[in-house]
Amino acid sequence: MKARMTNPAYVLPGAMKGIGTLFQSVGESGLDQELSELVGLRVSQVNGCSACVHGHVLNLRKGGASEERIAGVTAWFEAPFFSDAERAALRLADAMTRLADRSQESVPDELWDEVADHFDEKELSGLILFISLMNLFNRVNTTIKEPAGTTWG
């Protein structure tokens, strides 16, 4: 399988620089790396991005996450492998990714309060930006049909 085109982030000068700056900011937020990968995996599953699902699974394995936790992300709401903070982050990821599935506001106050109980403002900022970046990558990758296993950079 081959992508339709070169990833636009490489075609347009400055795009990778901007994306890199955003990733650096997320990294400086203090957000736990395994949590970020779990959230990235969930967003990518929802969006059907095989390239990103593959990448997050690899990163989780390299980081030492259990196979139970990795496989459990698909049905995180029923899986016993996640902390309350991780569940809140995964719930936020679902809400921010499934915008069209909502009849009301995308992130209701109840969810916001739950997430804010587990993360300080800096971590929450990193989480929101990370979920947003994953949605960006998923939309680009699914549009150009980026295959799983692609090595970037």
Side-chain angles (χ1 to χ4, degrees):
M1 200 170 192
K2 187 177 177 194
R4 289 176 168 160
M5 65 176 282
T6 302
N7 192 296
Y10 292 119
V11 173
L12 298 175
M16 283 306 290
K17 181 179 179 184
I19 291 168
T21 300
L22 286 169
F23 269 119
Q24 182 179 352
S25 295
V26 170
E28 293 168 355
S29 72
L31 195 62
D32 178 75
Q33 183 63 36
E34 186 168 319
L35 173 67
S36 295
E37 294 296 339
L38 291 169
V39 165
L41 176 56
R42 179 59 185 162
V43 170
S44 299
Q45 288 171 340
V46 170
N47 287 325
C49 181
S50 65
C52 291
V53 165
H54 180 79
H56 291 296
V57 168
L58 288 180
N59 289 342
L60 283 161
R61 286 182 178 144
K62 285 180 191 173
S66 72
E67 290 299 317
E68 291 172 324
R69 282 170 59 80
I70 295 168
V73 171
T74 301
W76 66 265
F77 42 88
E78 295 172 344
F81 312 117
F82 306 103
S83 69
D84 289 343
E86 290 168 334
R87 288 179 182 287
L90 289 164
R91 188 172 169 212
L92 181 64
D94 276 0
M96 288 178 62
T97 302
R98 296 180 180 273
L99 295 176
D101 293 351
R102 296 260 190 256
S103 60
Q104 303 285 327
E105 59 190 326
S106 62
V107 179
D109 290 339
E110 174 191 338
L111 173 54
W112 181 260
D113 293 343
E114 177 186 355
V115 175
D117 284 345
H118 294 286
F119 302 97
D120 65 26
E121 190 168 85
K122 197 171 180 182
E123 294 166 326
L124 188 52
S125 295
L127 182 59
I128 292 167
L129 285 175
F130 189 75
I131 293 167
S132 300
L133 280 167
M134 292 307 96
N135 275 289
L136 166 73
F137 283 125
N138 293 167
R139 281 151 176 77
V140 169
N141 288 337
T142 58
T143 299
I144 67 168
K145 294 189 175 184
E146 190 77 58
T150 300
T151 304
W152 290 5

